[in-house]
Amino acid sequence: MSQLLWLIPGAPMLSALIIALLGGLLQRRHLAILATCAAAIAFLVVLLTWLAGAATSQPLQQTLYTWIAVGNWNPTIGFTLDRLALVMVSVVSGIGLLIHIYSITFMAEDNDQRRYYFFLNLFLAGMLILVLADNLLLLYLGWELVGLCSFALIGFWYREPMRASAGRKAFVTTRIGDMSLALGIFLLYSQFNDLSLSYLLANATAQWETGSQLATLTALLILGGAIGKSAQLPLQVWLPDAMAGPSPVSALIHAATMVTAGVYLIARTYPLFELAPHVQWSVAAIGTLTIVYGASAALAQNDFKRVLAYSTISQVGYMFLALGCGAYALALFHLVTHAFFKSLLFLAAGTVIHFSGNEHNIHNLGRLDNHSPLVRWTFLIGAASLAGFPLITAGFYSKEAILTATWSAPAGPLLWAFAAFGVLLTAVYIFRVYFIVFQGSRSNASTPSAPGSMTWPLLILALLSLIGGFVEFPVGWLAPHQWSVWLEDEFRLTVHPPLEIAYSLQFITSLLTLIGIGLALVLVRREQAGHYLTKIIFLRTGWGFDALYQTMLIQPYFSLARLLKATDALLIEGILHKMTHACLLLASACRRGVEHGVLDKSIAGLLAGFRFGYARLSATQNGLLSRYALMISMGAVFLLSYWLW
């Protein structure tokens, strides 16, 4: 099986190249089929790995070739598939395949499917490279490829200024985290002269003392990268606006893949965080604050997908909380169940929006009378799993496991209290949406039914949102910890509180969920008269982070840019004025000294040449990225040809 690892990222990468180079020769449906088949091949290889049990005994490894050879440093294009990576590639390829299938109908009428499926396949390949990479250099390549594709997919309908702006905002904000991660990689290389993950983690654990400055700084830099990609405080502002992309993109990026890349990064490099206990506790603190932030902001939103965006921020916060408490297997457990129910919610919401004339306001959607029963029931299952409805949903088991494990961590009761408050808010905001949009809508003969390519992903995800949690039962239950035991080779078992406390925490968590559902029903009835929640500007604007950054960062930056531009303009104007004056004096002197005016004509010709060159060169600076890319490519080809020659 190790010889087939390259097919997991290779199949979608090859499909993306075919679409880019030969896509103009293919019809729309052929583009969709090609992209979907590539995602299916990646998932099939992962499925074969599960069936063969190849990665359950020892990690699979495959080295394709040496990427760069610099002295004694020879980074490779190499992949490693252990149990951690196997879980991640299963989620990414499986959810990715379902979203490709869903997109066949959802994007059928779009005129730019070639670009859509190119970036969708490329995104999938980048995420799989990130997960399978056996060294930090290759991981960073996948990390940046994912960021590039998210920019293109979020701003897919770029002809609308607001959507294009959302893509740029996501790209710029995540670059902050990417720079932090790059600095962390540089620091690790400067200390160990290698970027192999296994080598780095083993040597860092052996050579660095717990709490040392290098360990702390490295963990902080890696945490910065994770915060940016996973949209945690304070770099969470890009995710709500990222709803500008198509609904399948929202499901892929914001549920199962890109936003969980930071969680995977911390889980993969957890020995570095255990060498920096203060940083590890900061991971838990950031996650806890983000839980409350995202859940409270979701309460005041009227946009269907924006509620789910803030929900994603909050749920990833639970994963960070688990990571900070040392419950790495449980963070991964919630990552998996969250991928199921959040993808389901996004796709169900996308179906409602798609068949409602692109209406996003939940109050307007609630007045419609044409919601499909299938969509209503699947959304209800996703909402119940997100809220952690006791016993019958996957979200209950993963979230309850994190809350119970939190109690035994440093400052555990305080962290638990915030996280439990997040459970209450989660039930309120998601069932507020359900009651507003679906309560009272009556299906009839004219109700539009979703085509099969949109229906099957909903049904599969609904089933997984119900049964996906049965791999890890709570403390004190029958056959607990199956998931944690299976991952014991990757992570140590989580420390749990005594059974009496564990049972009490489980009861309180279940009760909070039920109370939240009841509160949601009460709020909906009152909201019909007054829209109380949406009038809370602080919550509706996401605690005012955008306005804060606008005031503290963006406006000063533009003011400085305008000042420098004005200064440069005055300086250049003065220089040109002096040069022109000198040329005129020189021309006047030469005119008096040369009888036939030969020198005068030469200067006039030289000035005309300058004007011609300026006109031609200025045309290259026209803001068209495609022309810039062409010029860069031509220059690269020229330099490469020169070096080879």
Side-chain angles (χ1 to χ4, degrees):
M1 289 301 300
S2 61
Q3 300 305 313
L4 296 178
L5 286 184
W6 71 272
L7 268 177
I8 299 176
M13 179 68 76
L14 180 60
S15 174
L17 291 176
I18 293 174
I19 292 173
L21 299 175
L22 304 176
L25 305 176
L26 302 176
Q27 298 179 8
R28 289 184 184 179
R29 60 188 181 92
H30 294 154
L31 292 169
I33 292 172
L34 174 61
T36 305
C37 287
I41 292 172
F43 180 68
L44 179 61
V45 176
V46 175
L47 186 60
L48 290 174
T49 304
W50 276 103
L51 294 176
T56 58
S57 56
Q58 59 182 2
L60 300 179
Q61 294 182 329
Q62 182 182 24
T63 300
L64 299 182
Y65 63 92
T66 299
W67 188 1
I68 305 170
V70 181
N72 295 325
W73 184 46
N74 299 297
T76 61
I77 302 292
F79 302 124
T80 297
L81 185 67
D82 55 10
R83 294 189 179 186
L84 170 59
L86 182 59
V87 171
M88 284 296 298
V89 295
S90 300
V91 171
V92 173
S93 61
I95 301 296
L97 174 59
L98 293 176
I99 288 171
H100 275 77
I101 295 172
Y102 182 91
S103 298
I104 294 175
T105 299
F106 189 90
M107 299 296 293
E109 302 301 322
D110 197 279
N111 294 323
D112 208 353
Q113 292 190 45
R114 180 182 179 185
R115 181 163 55 90
Y116 175 80
Y117 284 111
F118 166 74
F119 280 114
L120 201 65
N121 268 180
L122 193 62
F123 180 93
L124 190 60
M127 190 66 197
L128 293 170
I129 289 173
L130 187 160
V131 172
L132 291 173
D134 66 357
N135 63 82
L136 283 177
L137 185 61
L138 186 59
L139 183 149
Y140 194 73
L141 173 66
W143 188 274
E144 288 300 304
L145 191 58
V146 165
L148 171 65
C149 294
S150 68
F151 159 72
L153 289 169
I154 292 170
F156 179 74
W157 290 310
Y158 62 88
R159 293 176 180 85
E160 300 178 34
M162 291 298 293
R163 298 181 187 270
S165 176
R168 291 195 301 270
K169 183 177 182 180
F171 188 78
V172 172
T173 305
T174 54
R175 291 291 74 72
I176 299 172
D178 294 357
M179 181 183 68
S180 176
L181 176 58
L183 292 175
I185 293 174
F186 294 157
L187 178 58
L188 285 170
Y189 180 77
S190 70
Q191 295 300 310
F192 300 105
N193 297 316
D194 202 307
L195 290 179
S196 170
L197 278 164
S198 58
Y199 178 87
L200 286 175
L201 298 178
N203 282 272
T205 304
Q207 297 181 26
W208 288 349
E209 295 182 357
T210 301
S212 65
Q213 291 184 350
L214 283 175
T216 301
L217 181 57
T218 302
L220 278 173
L221 291 172
I222 294 176
L223 174 59
I227 286 173
K229 198 69 81 179
S230 291
Q232 298 293 282
L233 289 169
L235 298 178
Q236 81 292 349
V237 292
W238 66 270
L239 191 63
D241 291 337
M243 296 298 103
S247 293
V249 170
S250 300
L252 183 65
I253 293 178
H254 308 136
T257 55
M258 178 172 167
V259 294
T260 59
V263 177
Y264 171 78
L265 178 66
I266 295 177
R268 175 59 73 190
T269 59
Y270 80 91
L272 296 176
F273 286 86
E274 294 193 336
L275 291 172
H278 295 297
V279 178
Q280 186 171 20
W281 192 87
S282 298
V283 175
I286 290 170
T288 305
L289 291 175
T290 307
I291 289 170
V292 177
Y293 163 82
S296 61
L299 281 171
Q301 305 304 315
N302 285 330
D303 187 292
F304 204 167
K305 289 172 63 178
R306 203 170 179 87
V307 174
L308 300 180
Y310 279 110
S311 172
T312 298
I313 295 173
S314 179
Q315 294 305 303
V316 176
Y318 280 103
M319 303 174 206
F320 268 64
L321 171 60
L323 293 170
C325 295
Y328 308 108
L330 300 182
L332 201 64
F333 182 31
H334 193 56
L335 184 154
V336 173
T337 61
H338 176 263
F340 297 153
F341 61 70
K342 189 54 66 64
S343 297
L344 174 61
L345 290 171
F346 269 117
L347 295 184
T351 304
V352 171
I353 294 169
H354 183 73
F355 288 108
S356 302
N358 203 36
E359 176 60 61
H360 285 70
N361 190 292
I362 57 175
H363 297 284
N364 294 337
L365 290 170
R367 299 186 187 102
L368 300 178
D369 198 29
N370 63 346
H371 301 315
S372 166
L374 171 67
V375 176
R376 182 193 309 148
W377 281 104
T378 53
F379 188 90
L380 176 60
I381 291 172
S385 190
L386 169 61
F389 193 87
L391 303 181
I392 61 173
T393 63
F396 164 75
Y397 293 99
S398 61
K399 195 178 298 183
E400 186 281 328
I402 291 175
L403 285 167
T404 302
T406 299
W407 189 268
S408 301
L414 177 62
L415 297 176
W416 181 90
F418 277 93
F421 183 53
V423 171
L424 176 66
L425 294 180
T426 301
V428 174
Y429 72 69
I430 194 59
F431 274 92
R432 166 182 173 261
V433 170
Y434 173 76
F435 289 139
I436 290 176
V437 174
F438 294 102
Q439 187 186 39
S441 64
R442 298 173 300 280
S443 302
N444 50 48
S446 62
T447 299
S449 58
S453 64
M454 298 176 71
T455 298
W456 282 109
L458 293 176
L459 292 173
I460 294 172
L461 289 170
L463 178 62
L464 292 172
S465 297
L466 292 174
I467 68 173
F470 295 157
V471 297
E472 177 88 359
F473 289 107
V475 178
W477 289 33
L478 180 65
H481 312 320
Q482 302 97 317
W483 176 269
S484 298
V485 171
W486 185 74
L487 286 170
E488 190 175 4
D489 289 341
E490 307 295 333
F491 313 113
R492 66 175 183 273
L493 289 176
T494 305
V495 178
H496 293 97
L499 281 181
E500 296 79 7
I501 296 178
Y503 287 144
S504 300
L505 298 179
Q506 294 165 19
F507 175 76
I508 294 173
T509 302
S510 303
L511 185 61
L512 287 173
T513 298
L514 298 178
I515 292 174
I517 296 174
L519 287 176
L521 185 58
V522 173
L523 286 173
V524 166
R525 290 178 176 176
R526 294 192 176 186
E527 196 169 5
Q528 292 175 352
H531 300 296
Y532 297 117
L533 287 173
T534 57
K535 290 182 179 180
I536 305 176
I537 304 299
F538 177 72
L539 296 181
R540 194 177 66 193
T541 59
W543 292 16
F545 270 90
D546 280 315
L548 177 66
Y549 291 160
Q550 186 76 24
T551 302
M552 294 183 60
L553 300 176
I554 299 175
Q555 289 181 356
Y557 176 83
F558 277 104
S559 298
L560 178 62
R562 284 191 291 268
L563 176 63
L564 294 176
K565 181 179 179 181
T567 303
D568 287 345
L570 291 173
L571 180 61
I572 293 173
E573 182 180 358
I575 293 173
L576 291 177
H577 177 74
K578 292 180 180 179
M579 290 178 62
T580 303
H581 183 66
C583 289
L584 290 175
L585 291 176
L586 178 62
S588 177
C590 292
R591 188 182 299 111
R592 289 193 298 269
V594 180
E595 181 179 356
H596 300 289
V598 176
L599 187 58
D600 188 42
K601 294 179 181 179
S602 300
I603 293 175
L606 181 61
L607 292 174
F610 285 152
R611 293 192 188 97
F612 178 80
Y614 167 77
R616 300 285 78 78
L617 290 175
S618 62
T620 64
Q621 301 297 314
N622 54 8
L624 293 178
L625 293 179
S626 58
R627 184 170 295 182
Y628 295 166
L630 177 61
M631 294 172 63
I632 293 172
S633 300
M634 291 173 60
V637 170
F638 171 77
L639 291 175
L640 182 61
S641 301
Y642 175 77
W643 288 333
L644 292 176
W645 178 76

